[in-house]
Amino acid sequence: FFFREGRLAVGPQSVRAHPGPVCYRKGGQLATTDANLLLGRIRPEHFPRIFGPDEDQPLDVEGTRAAFEAMLSGEVHPFYEATSPAGAPPRRMSVEQLAHGFLEVANEAMCRPIREMTQMRGHDAAAHVLASFGGAGGQHACAVARSLGMTRVYVHRHASILSAVGIALADVVVEKQEAAALTLGEPGAAERVSVRHAALAAAVEEQLAAQGFAPPLLRTDRFLNLRYAGTDTAIMVSEPAAGGGAYAAAFEAQHRREFGFTFAERPVLIDDIRVRGTGLSPPAPAAPTAAASGALPPPTSVGRTYFESGWEETPSYSLQSLAPGNVLEGPALLLDDISTVVVEPNCTATVTATGHLEILVRPRKGARGETRTGPEAQRGAEAAPAEGAPSPSGDADPVQLSLYSHRFMGIAEQMGRTLQRTSVSTNIKERLDFSCALFDASGGLVANAPHIPVHLGAMQDAVQLQQRRWEGDIHAGDVFLSNCPHTAGGSHLPDLTVITPAFLPGDGEAPAFWVASRGHHADIGGATPGSMPPFSHSLSEEGARIVGFRLVSRGVLQEEGVRSILAKSRNLADNLSDLKAQVAANEMGLRLLASLAAESSLAAVRSYMHHIQANAEATVRAMLRAFAARAGLGANGVCTAADQLDDGSEIRLAVTIDAAAGSATFDFSGTSPQSYSNLNAPRAVTYSAVIYSLRALCDTDMPLNQGCLAPVTFVLPEGCLLNPGETAAVVGGNVLTSQRVVDVVLKAFGACAASQGCMNNLTFGDETYGYYETIAGGAGAGPDWDGRSGVHTHMTNTRITDPEVLERRYPVVLRTFSLRAHSGGGGAHRGGDGVVREIEFLRPTDVSILSERRAVPPYGLAGGEPGVRGQNLLLPAGGGAGPTVSLGGKAFVRVEAGARLRVLSPGGGGYGAPAEAYSGGSRAK
């Protein structure tokens, strides 16, 4: 548990089994077990005396209370005393409220992945039953279910050891499959599938029979892996009850449920044929239960347990003493030797005929009997409020701050899941080159999913510029489209931003919130396939420029307008499909925001959007003060750094930190003038690089939002490399210069050595298609870590296309993809290694490479050695006798069939003088 600038944080660190939480008496840190112990949700008398250095003591209730009291007196109350407005009493909390608040934050952290996974599959969590298992699962099940809107919890009688029971009772499964290059419905396909299914089933049955299985304990199921032509995601569809002829309908229904749409005119391809054979294990022995009875046994004890309403007298029952039909109204604790189930107030537990528990979970009730389900209700209207408890417009409650932070981030993540599911292009569905975010009424960034850092600061500018552009003409059902880096907050032209205003009933005529998604489209016209020309000199050479277009007008998609704008795209169909997916992702965000406002209140949602931004600001200010003190900078100290691009252009930075205010001026004076090349970084991209760096320098889990930049003033000279004119080419600035800005910022703060400083942008295609990817490299080492090898670093966070997808969709063969051994810089901590990626082209193809660190290596820090520079090599067709040609960092070449491109990406810099000698890249002691 941590208290961080007015916010309760749970994890992601673990206290582990040793030393464990404070109550284990081994010098551990406060954690969830401590909160449950302090609040009476677990009873120390039911635990063995195995704690402490000699493993002979009980759980430590007094020590746990003392640790929470120390956090209150040493961190929580001093923070509020220092930050309360003049004349206002500082917020106060009791020990119980602090512990209960941490539990609420922990429960919400559990809810977030459940929402994500169910939404990803097209399901609503509220329509399901929550199954609880594990020794501690029952302590949180009612609260988690209630937060998810679920009304039933199922607790198996062996819940605490359910994994072990499951292994013992698991069926034996054998699967066999084979590839099938068939089209569903083509003549003869059904017969061939039937024959292959039968052959695979016979092989599966033979293998299971050898293990002793025979009917009726042997079952086979048949499947086809199906996908639409032109897409990459296959769905495993089981044989319909109506027979093989109904596969198409079953596939369409499953595709619509998971992705929200179907392709009416596309053929369905059969990727492979599969048979699963199951040898059924004998059923579990029936539970030895007593006859059904409505009479409850007497409780083993009655003690106090803390809930939202405060302390309540809570009976404890032995699970072994309960009989089928017993009904227990919460609050109650149900215990056995290795688990505790907490039945919360307003919940009812029933023992089933087989000894399991079913818990009916009702919504919380407010003081006047109204139901409450949103984050605001997490503390409960009946709870004794903290002194100075907030109104929605007042100061931030630390529990609510964390809960809303999780909810806002969860909404952005679910938008991203929707976009990934409903898109069709390799770039978005496979490489995940997209970002989704929430914005307040003014267009200020509130929360973004952890997608692509280079999009983040730029998206706020994009939303605010569209607000101003369409002011007075924004309506419910409108969606706006933009991409211009200079006048619309874009990053580069292939990144299309879809922006949707959120109107809520009864909230007037102005949008209450905004949501946006930005996705990299593989082609939007321009001089070369992929719209990433390595030698562009003006923005007009890089593709279609959109300052602002009403993509959807009052609910009607303006498809003809989009077709006109993107007429020169080499794959207009994918552009349209992905834009529709972005609209769908935004619509998901609107629905979830409206639901959140309905659960709590619009005023509370707006208030905590502001509080979360203020919390990010406070966190960055604290980081700047701490760095100034650590570096001995004094009241207005300056730290500087510079780096050079491969063409000789320089990025210069001087950071002046006002330690008292916790603010900083980032002065890029001295940076080279605007480049004739495309290495110019738009102002919004420069902001994105700095906001990412500041977030990375803050050692705490928090949403990245506009508050991160509130303490920062920029000096960006007009017409420099990082603030170019309106016609400047920028495609390289977004993907290359942005990386170097991050390296310079982190160098100024002495945080770590340089990363590969590049995204290794590869595009290829012809007049019928375009493909784009970024290639991983080495990460820089730091004071106490080695750099990671073969990863996307800093401003990119994309995934590389799977080899099978790459080769299936494009006329290429991936010959090599491996780590580039010994390319990381040496040092006390080594830089990460780059990669080797070699692609063979199967037909004449236009190839572009846009890369950096081919001349200037990634720097080492604090005596560490630089990483090895990258190389781009063109190999002769078929391994022939022709020369291997170095293409340099930026090149466009038209290759013949059989030619190969080999990209060797840079390694990261090392940190610290090497403590051991290195020889030929090997460590010699």
Side-chain angles (χ1 to χ4, degrees):
F1 290 168
F2 304 97
F3 181 79
R4 289 172 168 160
E5 303 300 325
R7 182 171 55 90
L8 303 187
V10 177
Q13 301 93 327
S14 169
V15 295
R16 301 173 297 172
H18 180 80
V22 170
C23 62
Y24 283 13
R25 301 176 184 265
K26 295 181 180 179
Q29 293 178 274
L30 286 173
T32 305
T33 303
D34 294 309
N36 279 317
L37 177 66
L38 180 73
L39 301 179
R41 293 163 180 246
I42 56 177
R43 300 289 164 82
E45 61 268 23
H46 290 277
F47 280 73
R49 300 172 68 92
I50 58 172
F51 304 101
D54 297 326
E55 300 182 351
D56 59 353
Q57 295 179 275
L59 288 171
D60 188 359
V61 180
E62 293 77 14
T64 296
R65 175 172 288 274
F68 276 109
E69 288 173 343
M71 179 180 282
L72 269 181
S73 61
E75 300 180 58
V76 180
H77 290 162
F79 173 84
Y80 289 116
E81 289 164 1
T83 57
S84 292
R91 173 182 293 277
R92 313 299 290 181
M93 298 180 74
S94 69
V95 169
E96 290 82 5
Q97 287 168 336
L98 180 63
H100 190 262
F102 275 119
L103 279 190
E104 290 176 329
V105 175
N107 290 335
E108 182 58 35
M110 298 179 210
C111 293
R112 191 163 137 194
I114 296 173
R115 290 192 187 97
E116 282 184 47
M117 296 306 295
T118 52
Q119 179 61 41
M120 184 174 67
R121 290 293 183 181
H123 298 294
D124 178 8
H128 291 74
V129 176
L130 182 67
S132 170
F133 69 95
Q139 297 165 31
H140 301 266
C142 288
V144 169
R146 183 175 275 142
S147 184
L148 292 168
M150 305 170 84
T151 59
R152 292 176 61 208
V153 173
Y154 180 85
V155 185
H156 193 280
R157 69 179 188 275
H158 297 309
S160 56
I161 54 170
L162 199 57
S163 295
V165 172
I167 291 172
L169 299 177
D171 296 330
V172 176
V173 175
V174 174
E175 286 194 0
K176 291 194 177 293
Q177 68 183 85
E178 61 181 41
L182 299 171
T183 300
L184 194 67
E186 70 179 356
E191 291 76 12
R192 293 174 65 183
V193 166
S194 179
V195 169
R196 297 316 306 153
H197 264 152
L200 292 173
V204 163
E205 290 170 356
E206 181 180 0
Q207 191 168 338
L208 286 171
Q211 299 183 53
F213 291 98
L217 296 180
L218 192 158
R219 187 187 71 227
T220 58
D221 300 289
R222 303 181 178 195
F223 304 89
L224 294 180
N225 266 334
L226 304 175
R227 63 181 175 89
Y228 282 114
T231 67
D232 307 308
T233 305
I235 296 176
M236 190 165 71
V237 179
S238 60
E239 184 176 40
Y247 270 114
F251 169 73
E252 288 178 1
Q254 196 166 333
H255 196 280
R256 183 178 297 280
R257 191 190 75 227
E258 291 200 20
F259 301 116
F261 64 93
T262 59
F263 292 105
E265 299 178 0
R266 291 199 188 187
V268 177
L269 306 182
I270 305 173
D271 269 359
D272 60 66
I273 300 168
R274 178 177 304 201
V275 172
R276 176 185 299 154
T278 305
L280 302 176
S281 295
T289 58
S293 169
L296 273 176
T300 56
S301 63
V302 177
R304 295 200 314 156
T305 305
Y306 190 91
F307 297 99
E308 295 87 351
S309 56
W311 288 104
E312 295 196 28
E313 293 296 314
T314 304
S316 298
Y317 295 89
S318 167
L319 279 167
Q320 287 86 349
S321 69
L322 299 178
N326 282 161
V327 177
L328 302 97
E329 295 293 338
L333 300 184
L334 312 181
L335 307 99
D336 63 15
D337 291 339
I338 50 179
S339 67
T340 298
V341 178
V342 177
V343 183
E344 293 203 348
N346 214 33
C347 296
T348 303
T350 302
V351 183
T352 69
T354 51
H356 309 305
L357 290 175
E358 286 190 5
I359 305 176
L360 175 64
V361 180
R362 304 180 188 87
R364 290 180 177 88
K365 294 203 170 189
R368 294 176 302 279
E370 72 274 17
T371 60
R372 297 160 57 85
T373 58
E376 226 186 12
Q378 298 293 318
R379 293 189 66 110
E382 299 172 9
E387 185 179 334
S391 67
S393 61
D395 63 337
D397 177 278
V399 181
Q400 298 301 309
L401 192 61
S402 292
L403 295 177
Y404 275 101
S405 175
H406 277 288
R407 291 299 295 268
F408 292 147
M409 185 70 78
I411 291 172
E413 289 171 344
Q414 289 184 68
M415 289 173 63
R417 297 284 191 185
T418 301
L419 178 51
Q420 183 187 2
R421 288 193 305 111
T422 56
S423 62
V424 300
S425 70
T426 301
N427 260 2
I428 294 179
K429 183 175 286 293
E430 294 295 324
R431 291 185 54 252
L432 309 182
D433 196 346
F434 64 83
S435 292
C436 298
L438 315 182
F439 304 83
D440 61 23
S442 70
L445 178 63
V446 173
N448 63 274
H451 294 147
I452 311 299
V454 77
H455 292 165
L456 304 178
M459 286 179 74
Q460 175 174 302
D461 274 6
V463 172
Q464 292 176 336
L465 286 163
Q466 293 306 307
Q467 283 182 311
R468 294 195 290 270
R469 178 180 179 84
W470 302 96
E471 188 174 3
D473 190 21
I474 301 173
H475 312 283
D478 286 352
V479 181
F480 304 101
L481 173 67
S482 69
N483 75 341
C484 182
H486 299 303
T487 58
S491 38
H492 60 176
L493 293 180
D495 286 339
L496 300 186
T497 305
V498 173
I499 301 164
T500 307
F503 292 86
L504 297 183
D507 187 47
E509 298 181 358
F513 317 111
W514 294 76
V515 295
S517 56
R518 176 170 289 182
H520 185 110
H521 290 240
D523 199 290
I524 58 163
T528 60
S531 306
M532 296 281 289
F535 296 119
S536 55
H537 302 297
S538 69
L539 193 65
S540 61
E541 299 174 68
E542 297 178 352
R545 172 177 172 270
I546 309 167
V547 176
F549 173 70
R550 202 186 301 264
L551 177 62
V552 179
S553 179
R554 299 178 189 255
V556 179
L557 179 68
Q558 306 300 297
E559 186 165 330
E560 289 306 311
V562 179
R563 289 181 178 274
S564 175
I565 292 171
L566 300 179
K568 294 185 178 180
S569 169
R570 296 166 180 85
N571 196 343
L572 181 58
D574 276 9
N575 294 135
L576 291 170
S577 294
D578 284 350
L579 285 173
K580 292 175 183 177
Q582 288 180 253
V583 172
N586 287 8
E587 184 63 28
M588 171 61 71
L590 296 187
R591 289 202 303 270
L592 294 173
L593 273 172
S595 174
L596 182 58
E599 288 175 8
S600 48
S601 72
L602 177 57
V605 173
R606 280 178 167 157
S607 177
Y608 277 93
M609 283 185 168
H610 165 73
H611 291 318
I612 285 168
Q613 292 166 337
N615 179 254
E617 176 183 346
T619 302
V620 172
R621 290 189 187 275
M623 180 275 293
L624 291 171
R625 292 188 187 101
F627 171 75
R630 190 169 60 250
L633 295 183
N636 284 283
V638 180
C639 54
T640 63
D643 199 6
Q644 192 175 73
L645 304 183
D646 285 352
D647 70 351
S649 299
E650 284 190 307
I651 300 172
R652 291 189 170 275
L653 171 64
V655 182
T656 303
I657 298 177
D658 182 336
S663 62
T665 297
F666 281 65
D667 186 349
F668 288 94
S669 297
T671 294
S672 293
Q674 173 179 322
S675 174
Y676 181 60
S677 73
N678 58 28
L679 291 175
N680 305 290
R683 185 177 61 253
V685 168
T686 304
Y687 291 165
S688 290
V690 173
I691 194 175
Y692 161 79
S693 301
L694 291 172
R695 172 62 185 85
L697 289 166
C698 295
D699 186 21
T700 180
D701 183 23
M702 68 174 189
L704 191 155
N705 59 51
Q706 76 167 26
C708 293
L709 285 185
V712 176
T713 301
F714 283 91
V715 177
L716 279 170
E718 291 285 341
C720 78
L721 186 72
L722 306 182
N723 188 13
E726 290 191 7
T727 61
V730 299
V731 71
N734 178 67
V735 296
L736 302 179
T737 309
S738 65
Q739 295 279 61
R740 306 299 284 277
V741 173
V742 173
D743 279 344
V744 169
V745 173
L746 297 181
K747 185 179 184 181
F749 282 84
C752 62
S755 72
Q756 64 165 333
C758 175
M759 297 186 193
N760 303 294
N761 304 270
L762 173 63
T763 56
F764 57 80
D766 55 27
E767 289 306 311
T768 64
Y769 79 97
Y771 171 75
Y772 168 67
E773 70 179 21
T774 57
I775 301 172
D784 56 3
W785 73 85
D786 292 342
R788 292 292 182 93
S789 298
V791 293
H792 287 284
T793 55
H794 297 319
M795 298 305 284
T796 181
N797 192 32
T798 57
R799 189 169 68 185
I800 199 72
T801 307
D802 289 339
E804 296 82 2
V805 172
L806 178 70
E807 295 179 349
R808 184 168 62 202
R809 293 199 69 173
Y810 304 101
V812 298
V813 175
L814 182 62
R815 292 296 182 184
T816 302
F817 189 35
S818 63
L819 291 179
R820 185 187 181 193
H822 316 310
S823 56
H829 292 282
R830 289 193 60 89
D833 288 336
V835 303
V836 180
R837 189 165 174 87
E838 185 175 310
I839 296 175
E840 179 181 345
F841 302 95
L842 301 182
R843 72 187 197 203
T845 305
D846 292 342
V847 180
S848 300
I849 185 75
L850 191 57
S851 59
E852 271 285 322
R853 295 288 194 198
R854 268 54 181 177
V856 180
Y859 62 78
L861 204 62
E865 298 170 356
V868 177
R869 293 172 295 186
Q871 283 186 292
N872 305 319
L873 304 175
L874 184 64
L875 282 60
T884 294
V885 177
S886 174
L887 298 177
K890 299 154 188 71
F892 170 79
V893 60
R894 185 159 290 157
V895 302
E896 298 301 319
R900 298 185 185 185
L901 175 70
R902 179 182 294 165
V903 177
L904 297 92
S905 66
Y911 190 99
E916 302 164 354
Y918 290 86
S919 175
S922 299
R923 182 170 298 192
K925 294 188 178 179

